[in-house]
Structures are given as C-alpha cells and as structure tokens.
Amino acid sequence: AQKVTQAQTEISVVEKEDVTLDCVYETRDTTYYLFWYKQPPSGELVFLIRRNSFDEQNEISGRYSWNFQKSTSSFNFTITASQVVDSAVYFCALSGKGTGNQFYFGTGTSLTVIP
Amino acid sequence: DAGVIQSPRHEVTEMGQEVTLRCKPISGHNSLFWYRQTMMRGLELLIYFNNNVPIDDSGMPEDRFSAKMPNASFSTLKIQPSEPRDSAVYFCASSELGGANTEAFFGQGTRLTVV
C-alpha cells in the first residue's frame, strides 16, 4: 500500500523561528519519488522539491532544507528563520510504480507564522 | 510557458445542472491529472491520463463524473447532474513523464459551488 502521513495538522510559530514539517511514507516500491508542495492562501499548489529514493543527500535551498531518511521512511521539511510569507498548507506526496505513476498526497500541514 | 491553465476559476451552479471544467496542460507534458480538494477528504485523484489515454479513473466518484482528453492540449471534466456535495476546488495538473520521476505542475484550480 502507498501512504503518506503528515501527522501535524496545524503548526503555529513566531516569525524567525525554525519549524520542521514531518512526512512519513509507506511504499513497497524499491524506486519511488517524494515531493513537497506549498499551497498559500491564494490556493494554488506550488512545487517545491522532488527526491528520488536512491538519493539520500539532504538538500538546502535558501531557508528551506529537506531531510530524507530511508531508514525511518521520512522526508521532513525544515524552514529556517520563518517568515509570514511562509504561512501556507504544505503537502508531502509520493509516487512510484506501485502508485501507477500517480501522486499520493498527505493530508497537509497548515503552517501559520505569526509576526 | 504559461503553466497549466484552468477555466473557469469560479463556477456557481444550481443542483442538477451540467458543469464542465476545462484544462490546458503545459505543452510537451504527456500526463494529465484531475484532482478534487475538499476540507473533509483533502486532495483526491479523480483520473489520470497518459498520452491522452485514461489510465486510471478509479477515483471518479460516480457515473455523474466524466473526463475526456481529445488531444494533448485540452481536457475536460464534466459533472452531470451536479449535486451540492460536488462543491470543491478542482485542480488539473500535468507532468512531463507521468508521476514516477517528474513533478506535477498544477493549475490555479476551479472553485465549484453547487447550490
């Protein structure tokens, strides 16, 4: 079964704090792909990152960083020095042959950054 | 590229009426996805096309829903007859090679309200 779990439904932080959004996945595929998307209040879904299952290197992009750990089936997302503009719903997603090349999304984590 | 284009952005219709949602994927993308987003159920995949052929429509709620992709640059999602429980945001997304190893890019969505 393919499954993505985002246990944190809502998170609130004060501006400039660091925040980590958790994502845990289940898959039987040996090759799979993980994604993070951002949905700001305006409603569109914005692609942030794609990770292949055979590449466990962490990635940093500005204030964003991603920690992929196959041993714990996790793909966590950290925002450093959060800003009000980071307020959004963040979705983790999984795809692979077992999903029929479809994207399976978690239920999302709503992040509110308080000024 | 203009990205995935959906129309209309907002649709309000009366119960029992036919509704047609439209999508223009990114040029050169071979896969197209229709998703529905509600507070209760999150992001649900309705149907997935690859090279204009429906691959998996198991997410289509019932016979009132139908989707077509007559060519590589256009897809429609039709609801006939519409019901209040169909009220949701409907997203169209496209990807270059299908979900397995390429990300999906989403349109801005159509907010459907059935009264």
Side-chain angles (χ1 to χ4, degrees):
Chain A
Q2 318 292 330
K3 188 178 179 182
V4 175
T5 301
Q6 294 181 256
Q8 304 152 309
T9 306
E10 296 181 1
I11 300 177
S12 291
V13 297
V14 176
E15 199 171 22
K16 297 185 183 177
E17 286 184 347
D18 298 348
V19 58
T20 296
L21 310 181
D22 297 334
C23 173
V24 174
Y25 62 92
E26 295 176 31
T27 180
R28 292 179 186 163
D29 291 339
T30 53
T31 300
Y32 52 89
Y33 302 83
L34 296 162
F35 307 81
W36 276 96
Y37 284 82
K38 174 182 180 179
Q39 187 174 38
S42 52
E44 72 272 25
L45 278 151
V46 179
F47 164 74
L48 294 178
I49 190 172
R50 180 186 78 228
R51 210 79 186 127
N52 306 325
S53 57
F54 44 86
D55 182 2
E56 286 194 71
Q57 277 192 334
N58 291 333
E59 182 154 342
I60 299 174
S61 175
R63 295 184 299 106
Y64 294 173
S65 62
W66 291 270
N67 183 356
F68 177 30
Q69 291 194 339
K70 287 180 80 169
S71 61
T72 55
S73 298
S74 65
F75 185 43
N76 297 338
F77 173 28
T78 297
I79 303 174
T80 302
S82 59
Q83 300 177 1
V84 173
V85 293
D86 296 327
S87 296
V89 180
Y90 291 86
F91 292 93
C92 182
L94 167 72
S95 74
K97 277 191 175 179
T99 69
N101 290 350
Q102 302 166 9
F103 296 86
Y104 279 76
F105 284 84
T107 51
T109 296
S110 177
L111 173 66
T112 301
V113 180
I114 303 165
Chain B
D1 199 311
V4 177
I5 299 173
Q6 291 186 246
S7 64
R9 292 290 309 279
H10 302 274
E11 177 80 32
V12 180
T13 190
E14 291 186 348
M15 182 174 64
Q17 297 298 306
E18 176 180 300
V19 175
T20 299
L21 311 182
R22 297 173 174 79
C23 175
K24 182 181 188 308
I26 293 173
S27 177
H29 281 193
N30 296 325
S31 298
L32 184 140
F33 308 83
W34 281 101
Y35 285 87
R36 178 172 69 177
Q37 185 178 35
T38 60
M39 288 294 293
M40 291 296 294
R41 301 174 69 93
L43 270 167
E44 301 175 275
L45 177 67
L46 300 178
I47 187 169
Y48 156 45
F49 292 87
N50 196 40
N51 292 322
N52 312 338
V53 176
I55 302 300
D56 185 352
D57 64 355
S58 59
M60 296 286 261
E62 47 198 274
D63 291 346
R64 297 184 298 105
F65 285 68
S66 63
K68 293 182 179 179
M69 192 165 186
N71 57 62
S73 59
F74 185 65
S75 177
T76 59
L77 177 68
K78 185 179 293 187
I79 308 173
Q80 166 64 19
S82 58
E83 296 183 2
R85 60 193 169 118
D86 301 330
S87 298
V89 179
Y90 291 81
F91 287 101
C92 176
S94 70
S95 70
E96 193 172 348
L97 296 173
N101 61 351
T102 57
E103 56 273 18
F105 293 92
F106 284 75
Q108 292 192 298
T110 295
R111 181 173 295 276
L112 173 65
T113 303
V114 184
V115 298

